[in-house]
Amino acid sequence: MNNTSLITAYPQVKDLMDEKPIFWRNPDYGQPADLPFSKADIFDAVARWERFAPYLEKVFPETAAAHGVIESPLIRLDQLQDSWSEVTDQKLPGRLFLKADSQLPISGSIKSRGGIYEVLKFAEHVAMAKSDLVYQDNYQVLASEKYRNIFSSYGVIVASTGNLALSVGIAAASFGFKTTVYMSHDARQWKKDKLRNHGVTVKEFNTDFSNVITQARKDSLADPSIHFVDDEGSSDLFLGYAVAAVGLQKQLKEQHVKIDHEHPVVVYLPAGVGGSPSGVTFGLKTIVGPYIHAIFCEPVHVPSVTLGMMTKLNNKICVQDIGLDGLTAADGLAVSRPSRLAGKVMRTLLFGSVTFKDSEIYRFAAKLMDTHQITVEPSAAAGFTAITPLINNIPVFNNENTTHIVWATGGNMMPESERVANYNKGKVLL
Ligand SMILES: *Cc1c(COP(=O)(O)O)cnc(C)c1O
């Protein structure tokens, strides 16, 4: 299909081409679907995380307080909600929360869920195939010299805009896997430095993520001892993210959030390749049920998942195909082509999506800092930009009974200089 016929079939494609912020409502939401994953897959992943908790506790001291459980807090944002009209010119009824994956250990981002999980699964597979690990062992044994020697014959490769490299790189290097990360042009220097300090090989490329991952996949295929973490379609990443729903379900109960037809919950998730928001959404729909709704948030320059889902072309279309440059300050979201899984699995599970101008994420991030002293990286504030478009377009969410949860996807590892620079950028726009 050429662009003229795309616009005829899906008129909002024109707004995407014009870099206009949009709200897109998914016409297939709630339809019956044949999904490639089930609730049993989520609980298989939950059990694997539990088996590895003693290992994580031993190897990553920052997880010791939580006994090796990688989880983030759900934080009530009263003050930000009280001053909502200072940012958006209107009030926000209901309740506002932050799911602070920005505070997850090891990568300071949502990638600690998917990325680490995939490495754990590979390590378990190798340990069982090449030695005598059994499910009821204490997995701290995997930190021993014996297992390090076994793991050192295997490699792990990942391509990343930054945070996936941190989580996969640090986790894989901890086992002794030969670990190589392929970084796209937008990856931050401090992330490369941190990875090299962990003994990870960092390959730098001057191209965008979609090109870099193609190269990484090709290099991985050439060597059967290498496990490739495929951000464009990995089921392990997806299920690692989905586990988040099990933790959130408990946190919602602890915060006395009622969920039923009259009391909907809306979760706002930034989307890059679409893997993390899709995994989380699949988890939430499966674990929490029909009254929790997900909205994806993307920069107007890189609405890759929205474009793919809107046109039903999914990963067969990229933002350059409609004349966009794919450039954004939200580096975690600078992905021009969606994953193979995202659009397919989300077809009936995603409520809709919103696109935003980069200036908006700086404003919200600065306001979050002013009101709650919480730092997030620019990408991670994307969820805030979607609330006003949603409640204005879908009035049933514009009331006291709705709970809004902004998924803060990253930020805790940012160096001080970057924190300050980002804050100042947002502060002048408030
Ligand atoms: C990776 C990332 C996202 C988006 O996740 P995808 O799986 O690429 O869609 C959002 N925010 C941050 C901070 C990230 O690192």
Side-chain angles (χ1 to χ4, degrees), residues 109-111 163 231 241 270-277 332-333 335 377 379-380 409-410:
S109 82
I110 193 168
K111 301 302 193 310
N163 287 336
D231 201 19
Y241 294 127
V273 72
S276 72
L333 314 186
V335 182
E377 60 184 272
S379 305
T409 42

Side-chain angles (χ1 to χ4, degrees), residues 123-295:
E124 184 178 63
H125 167 77
V126 171
M128 286 183 172
K130 301 295 160 186
S131 185
D132 57 357
L133 184 77
V134 296
Y135 290 120
Q136 292 207 335
D137 278 335
N138 180 332
Y139 278 23
Q140 284 187 359
V141 71
L142 297 176
S144 65
E145 213 38 50
K146 167 182 144 182
Y147 277 104
R148 278 193 81 81
N149 280 334
I150 294 170
F151 294 138
S152 68
S153 318
Y154 293 85
V156 172
I157 287 183
V158 67
S160 171
T161 61
N163 287 336
L164 187 63
L166 281 183
S167 77
V168 169
I170 294 170
S174 83
F175 287 101
F177 290 122
K178 287 182 301 238
T179 307
T180 310
V181 304
Y182 288 52
M183 303 284 260
S184 52
H185 66 81
D186 47 339
R188 297 273 180 269
Q189 187 59 43
W190 65 267
K191 292 181 184 172
K192 299 173 194 168
D193 295 342
K194 195 175 168 83
L195 283 161
R196 289 189 173 115
N197 287 339
H198 280 264
V200 173
T201 304
V202 178
K203 288 195 177 177
E204 302 179 53
F205 294 82
N206 233 334
T207 52
D208 82 345
F209 176 76
S210 304
N211 288 304
V212 173
I213 192 169
T214 304
Q215 185 62 46
R217 184 181 293 112
K218 199 169 136 226
D219 293 353
S220 308
L221 280 175
D223 182 345
S225 74
I226 286 176
H227 180 78
F228 177 54
V229 177
D230 188 354
D231 201 19
E232 288 187 320
S234 160
S235 303
D236 293 341
L237 282 179
F238 189 92
L239 291 167
Y241 294 127
V243 167
V246 180
L248 186 69
Q249 184 192 38
K250 176 158 177 236
Q251 292 175 328
L252 288 169
K253 180 177 179 181
E254 287 166 351
Q255 302 261 11
H256 308 289
V257 175
K258 204 166 147 186
I259 313 175
D260 58 29
H261 189 265
E262 277 70 47
H263 300 85
V265 176
V266 188
V267 176
Y268 303 88
L269 295 144
V273 72
S276 72
S278 300
V280 169
T281 299
F282 166 73
L284 292 173
K285 297 305 286 183
T286 307
I287 299 294
V288 182
Y291 306 115
I292 193 160
H293 308 283
I295 304 289

